[in-house]
Amino acid sequence: MKTLAVAGRVLTQIRRDHRTLAMLLVLPCLLISLLWWMFDELPGETFDRFGPGLLALFPFIVMFLVTSVTTLRERSSGTLERLLAMPMGKLDFLLGYALAFGLIATVQSTLAVAVSVGLLDLDVNGPVWLLGVVAVVDAVLGTALGLFVSAFAATEFQAVQFMPLFVVPQILLCGLFVPRDVMPDLLGAISDVLPLSYAVDAMKELVGAADESAVWGDVGVVVGFAVVALALGAATLRRRTP
Amino acid sequence: MMKNVIEVRDLVVVRSGRTVLPGIGLDVAPGVTGLLGPSGCGKSTLMRAIVGVQRVRSGSVDVLGLPAGAKALRHRIGYQTQAVSVYDDLTVAENLRFFSRVLGADAAEVDRVVDAVDLSDHRNQTVGNLSGGQRSRASLAVALLGSPDVLVLDEPTVGLDPVLRRDLWQLFHRIADSGACVLVSSHVMDEADRCDRLLLMREGRIIADGTPDEIRAKSGSDNIEDAFLRLVEEAA
């Protein structure tokens, strides 16, 4: 019930902010079209190689940023202190955010997938709806990590800097640029414990061999990371602060 | 003697290496109690400790017979922080509806508190577009939701025009008349006479405690500002 109250409130706030809403929904479609255009004159199926990875990256990056900044705002404006002095469960608070951003991610990913498959001829061998599922799980992961790291940022500048710290290494090591199995052993091992690697694997699998059980396995790993990040996030929400 | 609603004993609070409250003790009974003292004397920290959001080093804070911050108290304390802690991008009514859902309060509460803080004409305006005084009243309205037994208000009247300030103090007294305990902080000494009881605070300690008349009589001054100065000089 309180989870829904938080989610409803967050969605109203985003609806009010037309520019943010437009960027959340339109930017991923534009960027994926840009990627398609870049590869248009090249021989081979290059768009099919990078497209799926990008579909996994957008929801993750965007939700990470949006969430870490919004929760930081909530901490600095005093609204979080007020909520925690009220009968508000920490988990209700976090799940409310996850639910709201999960819904936005659903719309965002549906649009990006529709553009990729419908307009840009991305070749998907697995079921298209599963592509959407992976994207949403990915967005929830971004939200969960964003919530967690916002606890360690004192200013919005710091929160934004967490992106190169937490997100860029994952993008580099997720297998988009160099397949994970040909990376140096140490880097391969690191990429094995980064959640984004599994999200990108799932997307690649859907476009490639389309072994659904492998996709669900990857989705499970991403969900696991998201749950751990949410639990850690809950642990950083303290009713009593120094 | 009325039973105390808030009891603070030997409370020590250290914030980033600085001892803000070096062992403060005080009692607050039902009625309107003013916590007066200069900026930086520890009023907000004390209020945060009473609400149960301040990490404390030692000592005890009891509210309504329970340790501050207890789960059962979260429905019963209304708290207005010094910052305007409402969502700037939502309207007054949307903010109140959200917080009333968190409290599990009746939807009719929203209309009641909007009227109480005289924001009926602005209820559908976005908080970010309101004036400073209106924003602060929107934040006060949240604290009033659900008619809590204890109201802890951190400088609710700062920056408001005199008419509005008088109206708010009348509101605090109406709330207190219905049996609640209202603790209001201010750094403006001329608000002293609006309180039933005063706690004068300086450098993390209570330097005087009593009705405005008692404090004036005890220090032999005509106004609370002079009384405050004399008490500080006597202590030195």
Side-chain angles (χ1 to χ4, degrees), chain A residues 13 16 74 81-82 240, chain B residues 48 54 79 87 94 139:
Chain A
Q13 285 179 291
R16 277 293 139 69
E74 188 113 39
E81 175 167 309
R82 172 166 244 168
R240 284 183 188 272
Chain B
R48 281 168 43 85
Q54 174 65 52
Y79 171 43
Y87 300 97
E94 283 167 344
S139 188

Side-chain angles (χ1 to χ4, degrees), chain B residues 100-136:
Chain B
S100 70
R101 284 178 79 183
V102 172
L103 284 166
D106 205 325
E109 273 294 280
V110 172
D111 295 322
R112 187 185 69 82
V113 298
V114 166
D115 282 341
V117 299
D118 197 20
L119 278 179
S120 308
D121 293 342
H122 304 282
R123 57 174 293 146
N124 293 320
Q125 261 177 278
T126 309
V127 172
N129 293 332
L130 298 177
S131 73
Q134 290 164 340
R135 292 174 71 230
S136 127

Side-chain angles (χ1 to χ4, degrees), chain A residues 170-183:
Chain A
Q170 295 202 56
I171 297 177
L172 293 177
L173 297 176
C174 71
L176 201 59
F177 299 102
V178 177
R180 295 205 291 134
D181 47 6
V182 300
M183 277 181 200

Side-chain angles (χ1 to χ4, degrees), chain B residues 24-78:
Chain B
I24 196 171
L26 56 106
D27 295 320
V28 184
V32 178
T33 302
L35 179 63
L36 300 188
S39 282
C41 72
K43 298 189 297 291
S44 295
T45 304
L46 175 62
M47 289 188 138
R48 281 168 43 85
I50 290 169
V51 176
V53 295
Q54 174 65 52
R55 198 176 296 162
V56 304
R57 171 81 45 106
S58 62
S60 71
V61 182
D62 287 309
V63 181
L64 296 163
L66 293 164
K71 205 171 174 182
L73 286 175
R74 286 183 206 141
H75 283 278
R76 303 180 66 189
I77 300 187

